Every structure is written in C-alpha cells, then in structure tokens.
Amino acid sequence: MEETKIYHDNDVQTDILKDKKIAVIGYGSQGMAQAQCMKDSGLDVIVGLRKDGASWQKAVDDGMDVMVIDEAARQADIIHLLVPDEVQKEVYDACIKGQLAEGKTLSFSHGFNVVFNRIMAPDGVNVIMVAPKGPGNEVRRKYVGGSGVVGLVAVEKDATGCAGQIALEMAKAMGFTRAGVFECTFRQEACSDLFGEQAVLCGGVTELVKAGFETLVKRGYPPHIAYFECFHEVKLIVDLLYEGGLLHMWGVVSNTAEYGGRTVGPKIIGAESRKAMEQALDKIESGAFAKEWLNEFRDGCRNLDEMREKEKAHELETTGKRVRSMFEKS
Ligand code: NAD
Ligand code: MG
C-alpha cells in the first residue's frame, strides 16, 4: 500500500490565513460547527446567509458576523460553501460567481458539485476541499474537548500556489490536524463518500437491520426481542469494530457467535449484494446518480417524501420508540 501522508498540527506551520477573511456560507450542521471552530481558533470568519433564512438569528445569537451571501462573498478571500449540495449551484450562480476575483479561494466540504461539473470556478481562483469525516456536532464537540475529527483536504485548482496550505490551515483551525488529515482528490472524496453512505452506512445498515428484524417478526418472535437483537446491539458491535478492528470484535463475542457469524455472514452479503455494490458505484462514477438526485430535488422530493412517510409506520420504528422509552440509556 502506498504510504499516505498524514498531517498533524506540527505539519502546518504556515500563517497564510492570518490576514485573510473567510466567509462560511450556510449555517447548518457543518456551517455552524466549522464557523465556530475557525472563529475560536482566531481566524477572521464571517457568515453568509439568506436574510429570511431560519439560521440567521441562530448565527447572530452565536456571536457571528452575519450578512447576506453576496456581501460575505464580496468581502471574503476564502468562500467556504456549506449549503446543501443540491442547492449549491443555485446559490453559487446567484450570489457567489459575481464576487469571485483572481486570488480568491472557493472551498467545499464535499466534492459533489465540482466533480459532477455543476460549479466551475473562473481562472485565477483556487478550488479546495476541507472535509471532516464526521457530522457537524461531532466536529464541534471534539474541537471543544481539545481533540478533533479526522479530516481530508483536496486541491482541485491551485491558482495562487498556496491552495494546499490554505486547506491545511483551515483543517488545523477546525481541529482536524489534532486527529490527522490526509490528502485526496475531489473525485476520490465525492465518489467514495456517496458510495459509503449508499452501500454501507445509511443505505446498507438500515436495510440490513430492517431485513433482520422483519425475518424474526414474520416467524412470530416478539418485536421487542427482534428490536434488541437486530437493531439495538448493532451499536455494541460497531463500537467494538471502531475500537479495535475485526479481530478485536471476534475476540470479544462468544466462539459460537464467531463461528456462526463467519460462516453465515458471507451468505447474507453474498454475490448478489456485491454485484449491487458494483452497480451503485458505476452509477455514482458516471454521474447518473447525481443526475437522478438533482431531478428528484427539482421535482420537489416526491419520492423521497413518500419513502420517509412509509418508514415512519414501519414496525421497527414504532417498536423502537416504545422500547427506547422503557429503558435507561447508559
Ligand atoms: P445542512 O442542510 O445542515 O445546512 C444547510 C444550511 O444552508 C442551512 O442551515 C441554511 O443556512 C443554508 N441553506 C439551505 N438552503 C439554502 C438555500 N436555498 N439558499 C441559501 N442557503 C441555504 O447542510 P450540511 O449537512 O451542513 O452540508 C453542508 C455541506 O457539508 C455539504 O456539502 C455536505 O455534503 C457537507 N458535509 C456534510 C456532512 C454532514 O454530516 N452533515 C459531513 C461532511 C460533509
Ligand atoms: Mg461521508
């Protein structure tokens, strides 16, 4: 395996951001966390939002210097675009494009709009990515606690010769270099991120637990037993994996669990599932998934809303709600 360079605090000694202004556009999960961390690290941070938007008052209450997006983009040297991926192009076209000038930097936390050719910055503008491997609340919680989440940086266009340093300094200011930051390309980040959330994390895990739960309930097992077995305990197993890897987990569970898991697991995630994973990745890499999702969004998210509604009524959800309210969380 090729050795990946991991950047820690000491590897970032430049001070390019000292006299630069950073506009964080959007104040949601990532915007709020990243703006607060960079500000606490002493950087000159402003926040660009819609005047009538729900986040405006929140950002003001948090002590942020808040202004409309065009104005933030005009004032800033670095424009860090943290509105949802599906509206980034519209926000960019309406409020940011006109404020870009040579020497400025356009920055992202996900490569979606660059990789799928929706946002193309003009010549002379740096295009970088600074992305946490974790949700916004985790970014903030760890930063405040003196540590940080793992991060990644990428440079799509280095117009000024120091785009990479800017990305690393931002990563440091958000605590990512306390944990470790690695470099990748926009394409690697965008495609692997979409694949991970579809096949394993958000899509894979939810379908796996639903299928397991439904199988037991269909055979007459009580729903609360199925819930504990196929849902609740997922966290305990994932914690062990996170802590020490596969072998560590196998070492903690019983030999019976290990033998059964090792022999049956590959039948559950068999050739058909692996084929489906290949197909999901093909669809991501070709841009077909991005196109499908943006069409769905343009269409008012009708299919998405339907799926949300349907799942609300799933017995796993109703059982879970009931069971969670009956037991103390440790
Ligand atoms: P979010 O949905 O939490 O927040 C979006 C914010 O953007 C809102 O609070 C609002 O302030 C603003 N906004 C929404 N619609 C807008 C519009 N039409 N015009 C102007 N402003 C609007 O988004 P997020 O999850 O923080 O994602 C931001 C970026 O970070 C995305 O590129 C995402 O892929 C990336 N990212 C997110 C996570 C995560 O865990 N949430 C992790 C890594 C990277
Ligand atoms: Mg991800």
Side-chain angles (χ1 to χ4, degrees), residues 8-304:
H8 290 105
D9 279 353
N10 285 337
D11 301 313
V12 188
Q13 297 293 353
T14 53
D15 220 357
I16 299 166
L17 294 182
K18 190 162 59 87
D19 328 296
K20 299 262 192 280
K21 204 184 264 295
I22 303 169
V24 171
I25 311 297
Y27 203 70
S29 170
Q30 290 298 336
M32 183 173 8
Q34 296 192 24
Q36 288 178 358
C37 296
M38 287 193 285
K39 184 167 181 259
D40 288 352
S41 292
L43 297 185
D44 183 4
V45 176
I46 56 179
V47 173
L49 294 174
R50 287 172 299 181
K51 185 82 205 182
D52 56 346
S55 315
W56 185 286
Q57 195 52 45
K58 174 89 187 74
V60 170
D61 292 345
D62 288 346
M64 291 290 161
D65 188 359
V66 188
M67 59 198 80
V68 292
I69 298 172
D70 311 61
E71 180 56 19
R74 190 187 68 76
Q75 289 188 18
D77 302 291
I78 292 135
I79 299 154
H80 194 35
L81 192 50
L82 296 181
V83 298
D85 300 303
E86 61 275 18
V87 303
Q88 282 188 5
K89 181 182 159 52
E90 162 195 323
V91 170
Y92 173 83
D93 285 344
C95 310
I96 294 172
K97 199 154 99 182
Q99 309 295 344
L100 288 175
E102 223 164 278
K104 285 202 182 196
T105 298
L106 185 62
S107 172
F108 298 85
S109 279
H110 182 30
F112 190 94
N113 282 281
V114 171
V115 171
F116 301 115
N117 299 317
R118 299 183 25 95
I119 294 179
M120 278 161 280
D123 287 346
V125 170
N126 294 324
V127 179
I128 63 170
M129 179 176 0
V130 188
K133 288 277 102 194
N137 56 352
E138 190 74 356
V139 169
R140 184 61 183 159
R141 195 178 63 76
K142 289 220 164 152
Y143 175 91
V144 170
S147 66
V149 303
V150 169
L152 58 83
V153 291
V155 175
E156 179 77 5
K157 206 159 67 173
D158 186 2
T160 61
C162 58
Q165 285 308 321
I166 292 174
L168 282 171
E169 285 186 32
M170 287 170 68
K172 185 177 183 177
M174 296 191 264
F176 305 163
T177 43
R178 293 172 184 168
V181 166
F182 59 95
E183 243 175 309
C184 69
T185 66
F186 264 62
R187 196 169 172 82
Q188 285 168 345
E189 184 279 337
C191 294
S192 65
D193 193 68
L194 293 170
F195 177 77
E197 64 203 18
Q198 292 175 17
V200 180
L201 309 172
C202 310
V205 167
T206 52
E207 283 309 307
L208 185 66
V209 299
K210 269 196 264 182
F213 176 86
E214 285 170 15
T215 303
L216 283 177
V217 170
K218 204 169 111 198
R219 292 285 194 94
Y221 291 85
H224 65 278
I225 289 185
Y227 173 83
F228 273 112
E229 212 42 66
C230 299
F231 191 96
H232 176 88
E233 287 196 38
V234 169
K235 166 149 172 51
L236 312 180
I237 294 300
V238 169
D239 282 349
L240 292 170
L241 294 171
Y242 183 88
E243 238 169 62
L246 298 168
L247 277 180
H248 173 66
M249 186 279 289
W250 291 127
V252 172
V253 300
S254 68
N255 291 334
T256 314
E258 182 179 8
Y259 177 76
R262 284 186 185 276
T263 52
V264 177
K267 296 193 172 72
I268 304 296
I269 306 296
E272 205 183 320
S273 294
R274 284 171 185 262
K275 182 89 196 297
M277 287 191 182
E278 295 272 355
Q279 287 167 346
L281 188 55
D282 286 343
K283 203 168 150 180
I284 290 164
E285 288 179 343
S286 71
F289 170 76
K291 201 165 151 209
E292 179 188 314
W293 162 224
L294 293 166
N295 280 337
E296 165 75 8
F297 179 71
R298 230 171 275 130
D299 226 27
C301 293
R302 279 194 309 219
N303 293 306
L304 185 56

